[in-house]
């Protein structure tokens, strides 16, 4: 029982970071119809930057915030590359994001090398239902909850967020009322960078990151986004949590090396089950 | 207020609007009529800045807002959010004036726009355009898919806007009788060109216009309160 609780909580923490990365996919896809495959590498930049900044340059809190903001800038630059030129088809933009991901990975190797890096996180642990749980993992869950609540408030309450939602809902009508849909797309890329960076900053203390982490992160994040139909941040959160828990249970009771395969398998199952819904959403 | 000079709009090699020139005065209501494919919607989109001009000029002393064909709602957003977004370009977040003019919108302000009837959505589209405090309201197909009573109500709102607020109205409309009834002046388009222009009453009586574009529609008979002259003179 204790073992199960530990796996569940660490799964929820890991799944939270998948959900953050996945919601970045959703935010960009809703507005631009582009799948941004550079999301994973941006998360790694977040984790590694926070490790550098927290190594005597900035105190806790400021270091993490600065790393997340930097990821927002990186996301914006990727957006400029992907959709900066007017009329770029989404498929071409997708390929540009793949290229950007490789560039970012090269930069990661150049700046931080190939070894995994882990910034200092919250030390210590607490006991929940008999299971020892790292405080850092609880921080990931709480911070993800706050991030999703802030995201929901941003989209539903702020004028800018409503502009983003309108651009996603009906780009023609958005242009008609004077919204610059391309700028909204760039804003979405920046926001996705912040979400990816936050995921990296939160996950890195418990799961050291290297450029090799890109594929598992991007696959898991994309699988969570697919669960949300690439349109719903809330369903993406749920999908991320399912993936995280399934991955941790697989690692705990079967074999740790099957985690990525589990994400892939779940993504395939979800895509097959939800294929009709995807078509309907595209038509809509 | 609005001056169009030798406007040409192309889609690739196809010419959609071919050298059109006309003016609309402040508070004036002008109808754009013509068969499908005449270039009416392209013209109105070009005036609103949604379609790039190939050549010619569009000069407007004031703001232009459009009520598009098919309403084009932000379907998952509330009526009030749709209205608020209408004021995006001028950061206008006061929906009070629109509610004063269209009180029905105040009653449905929390409802999702995508769940409204066609008439209600058209009213939202008009209200959303008004949020930009336009000097010219460009309307593409006011009556499309709506019941006559709803259309009559919307038309009355447009007359009030023009009369009381001095808002000019450019109305693209398939229902010729309605267009001529609402707008004292009209332009008839065919293949991207203006082939007739003048007072609606006179155009309604023009045999050329009636036979070429409206078949056997008894336009004049359906116009309410219009008294046609014995002879007509239609400028081309």
């Amino acid at each position: 029982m204790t073992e199960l609780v530990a796996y569940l909580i660490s799964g929820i923490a890991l799944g939270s970071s998948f959900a953050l990365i996945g919601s970045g996919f959703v935010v960009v896809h809703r507005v631009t119809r582009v799948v941004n495959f550079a999301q994973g590498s941006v998360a790694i930049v977040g984790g590694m930057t926070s490790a550098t900044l927290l190594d005597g340059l900035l105190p806790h809190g400021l270091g993490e915030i600065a790393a997340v903001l930097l990821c927002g800038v990186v996301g914006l630059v990727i957006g400029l590359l992907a959709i900066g030129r007017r009329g770029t088809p989404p498929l071409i933009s997708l390929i540009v994001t793949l290229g950007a991901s490789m560039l970012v990975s090269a930069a990661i190797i150049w700046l931080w090398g190939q070894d995994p890096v882990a910034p200092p996180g919250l030390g210590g642990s607490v006991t929940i239902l008999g299971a020892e749980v790292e405080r850092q993992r609880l921080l990931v869950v709480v911070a993800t909850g706050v991030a999703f609540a802030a995201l929901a408030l941003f989209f539903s309450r702020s004028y800018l967020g409503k502009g983003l939602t309108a651009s996603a809902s009906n780009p023609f009508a958005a242009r008609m009322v004077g919204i610059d849909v391309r700028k909204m797309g760039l804003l979405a890329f920046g926001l996705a960078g912040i979400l990816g960076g936050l995921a990296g900053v939160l996950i890195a203390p418990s799961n050291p990151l290297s450029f090799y982490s890109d594929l598992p992160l991007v696959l898991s994040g994309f699988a969570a986004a697919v669960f949300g139909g690439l349109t719903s941040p809330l369903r993406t959160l749920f999908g991320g949590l399912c993936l995280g828990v399934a991955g941790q249970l697989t690692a705990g009771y079967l074999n740790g090396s099957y985690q990525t395969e589990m994400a892939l398998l779940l993504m395939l199952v979800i895509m097959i089950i939800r294929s009709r819904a995807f078509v309907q959403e595209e038509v809509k | 207020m609005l001056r169009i000079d030798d406007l040409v709009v192309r889609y690739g090699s196809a010419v959609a609007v071919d050298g059109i020139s006309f003016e609309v005065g402040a508070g004036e209501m002008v109808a754009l009529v013509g068969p499908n494919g005449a270039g009416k919607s392209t013209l109105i989109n070009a005036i609103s800045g949604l379609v790039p001009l190939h050549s010619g000029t569009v000069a407007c002393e004031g703001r232009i807002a459009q009520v598009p064909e098919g309403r084009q709602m932000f379907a998952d957003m509330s009526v009030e959010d749709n209205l608020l977004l209408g004021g995006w370009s001028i950061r206008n977040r006061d929906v009070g004036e629109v509610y004063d003019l269209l009180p029905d919108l105040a009653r449905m302000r929390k409802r999702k726009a995508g769940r409204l009837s066609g008439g209600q959505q058209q009213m939202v589209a008009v209200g959303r355009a008004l949020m930009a405090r336009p000097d010219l309201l460009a309307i593409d197909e006011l009556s499309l898919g709506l019941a006559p009573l709803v259309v009559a109500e919307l038309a009355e709102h447009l007359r009030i806007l023009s009369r009381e607020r001095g808002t000019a109205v450019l109305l693209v409309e398939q229902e010729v009788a309605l267009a001529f009834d609402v707008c004292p002046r009209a332009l008839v388009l065919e293949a991207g060109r203006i082939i007739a222009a003048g007072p609606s009453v006179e155009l309604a009586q023009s045999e050329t216009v009636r036979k070429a574009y409206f078949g056997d529609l008894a336009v004049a008979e359906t116009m309410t309160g219009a008294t046609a002259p014995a002879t007509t003179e239609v400028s081309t």
Side-chain angles (χ1 to χ4, degrees):
Chain A
M1 178 64 187
T2 305
E3 209 173 41
L4 178 65
V5 172
Y7 291 148
L8 285 176
I9 293 174
S10 60
I12 288 170
L14 191 62
S16 297
S17 60
F18 296 161
L20 284 170
I21 294 171
S23 61
F25 276 106
V26 169
V27 167
V28 169
H29 185 264
R30 269 162 51 109
V31 179
T32 65
R33 302 292 183 267
V34 174
V35 177
N36 174 20
F37 278 116
Q39 264 300 91
S41 45
V42 174
I44 299 166
V45 169
M48 297 210 161
T49 305
S50 71
T52 301
L53 294 176
L54 292 173
D55 190 18
L57 291 174
L58 288 173
H60 267 299
L62 278 181
E64 283 91 344
I65 289 170
V68 169
L69 291 178
L70 176 75
C71 288
V73 175
V74 173
L76 189 63
V77 171
I78 291 167
L80 278 169
L81 292 172
I83 61 164
R85 191 162 175 267
R86 283 184 197 280
T88 307
L91 187 61
I92 300 298
S93 299
L94 180 150
I95 293 166
V96 171
T97 66
L98 278 171
S101 173
M102 290 176 192
L103 267 176
V104 174
S105 289
I108 289 168
I109 295 169
W110 181 53
L111 290 169
W112 289 285
Q114 297 190 25
D115 295 331
V117 173
L122 273 183
S125 59
V126 292
T127 306
I128 298 174
L129 297 172
E132 288 284 312
V133 180
E134 289 175 40
R135 287 170 65 204
Q136 177 66 28
R137 292 189 194 278
L138 293 181
L139 176 68
V140 174
V141 176
V142 172
T144 302
V146 170
F148 270 84
L151 202 60
L153 281 176
F154 172 70
F155 279 117
S156 64
R157 303 282 177 190
S158 76
Y159 205 44
L160 193 59
K162 284 175 183 173
L164 265 172
T165 305
S167 302
S169 167
N170 189 334
F172 175 79
R175 278 199 302 276
M176 203 189 57
V177 298
I179 297 172
D180 188 329
V181 176
R182 194 176 65 99
K183 278 186 185 164
M184 287 292 131
L186 291 174
L187 177 66
F189 267 95
L191 196 55
I194 286 174
L195 291 165
L198 182 61
V201 164
L202 288 170
I203 198 179
S206 307
N207 302 70
L209 298 175
S210 73
F211 82 99
Y212 287 117
S213 313
D214 183 20
L215 189 62
L217 285 179
V218 86
L219 277 178
S220 303
F222 185 61
V226 166
F227 201 94
L230 285 170
T231 55
S232 165
L234 198 63
R235 273 185 283 150
T236 299
L237 174 62
F238 184 67
L241 295 180
C242 288
L243 278 172
V245 170
Q248 286 298 295
L249 291 177
T250 305
Y253 292 115
L254 297 172
N255 189 324
S257 59
Y258 293 155
Q259 272 182 292
T260 304
E261 285 74 7
M262 174 58 72
L264 270 172
L265 186 67
L266 278 176
M267 186 173 72
L268 281 173
V269 171
I270 292 161
M271 286 184 87
I272 291 165
I273 293 171
R274 288 185 48 79
S275 57
R276 187 175 291 177
F278 286 145
V279 172
Q280 284 170 348
E281 275 159 15
E282 279 300 312
V283 169
K284 191 177 159 191
Chain B
M1 205 264 90
L2 175 72
R3 185 185 172 90
I4 311 290
D5 272 322
D6 203 18
L7 181 64
V8 176
V9 179
R10 288 184 172 185
Y11 295 118
S13 59
V15 180
V17 172
D18 190 6
I20 282 180
S21 301
F22 67 94
E23 291 182 21
V24 178
E28 195 180 9
M29 300 180 81
V30 178
L32 283 174
V33 297
N36 280 332
K40 307 184 296 292
S41 293
T42 299
L43 176 57
I44 214 167
N45 284 337
I47 291 169
S48 300
L50 294 171
V51 170
L53 315 184
H54 180 266
S55 63
T57 57
V58 174
C60 183
E61 299 163 3
R63 275 187 293 274
I64 302 172
Q66 187 178 343
V67 178
E69 185 177 2
R71 274 82 81 173
Q72 301 287 347
M73 295 286 96
F74 300 120
D76 292 331
M77 303 178 83
S78 70
V79 167
E80 186 145 298
D81 281 345
N82 269 267
L83 295 177
L84 286 170
L85 287 164
W88 180 272
S89 54
I90 59 166
R91 296 281 173 199
N92 175 23
R93 300 177 194 185
D94 179 16
V95 292
E97 274 189 42
V98 172
Y99 286 154
D100 287 343
L101 186 73
L102 304 166
D104 285 349
L105 292 181
R107 285 190 282 277
M108 61 179 94
R109 65 177 184 273
K110 289 190 187 303
R111 291 177 63 188
K112 290 270 174 73
R115 294 186 181 168
L116 301 177
S117 68
Q120 289 169 327
Q121 287 189 353
Q122 190 69 297
M123 205 173 284
V124 175
V126 171
R128 188 174 63 186
L130 292 179
M131 283 293 291
R133 301 183 193 281
D135 300 288
L136 174 76
L137 194 57
I139 303 173
D140 199 353
E141 301 293 358
L142 180 74
S143 69
L144 194 69
L146 301 184
L149 275 175
V150 177
V151 176
E153 187 187 352
L154 286 167
E156 187 53 32
H157 285 309
L158 295 182
R159 289 192 189 94
I160 292 169
L161 265 177
S162 169
R163 193 171 57 237
E164 296 182 3
R165 301 191 181 188
T167 306
V169 174
L170 191 58
L171 176 65
V172 165
E173 184 56 59
Q174 284 279 355
E175 288 291 328
V176 183
L178 170 74
F180 286 177
D181 183 30
V182 173
C183 302
R185 185 158 75 88
L187 311 170
V188 183
L189 270 67
E190 186 199 35
R193 295 181 177 196
I194 296 175
I195 57 109
S200 299
V201 173
E202 294 179 18
L203 285 172
Q205 293 299 305
S206 161
E207 281 301 315
T208 313
V209 171
R210 287 177 64 182
K211 283 183 180 169
Y213 301 102
F214 315 126
D216 293 327
L217 267 180
V219 174
E221 284 82 351
T222 57
M223 289 176 65
T224 54
T227 310
T231 55
T232 59
E233 188 176 327
V234 178
S235 60
T236 57

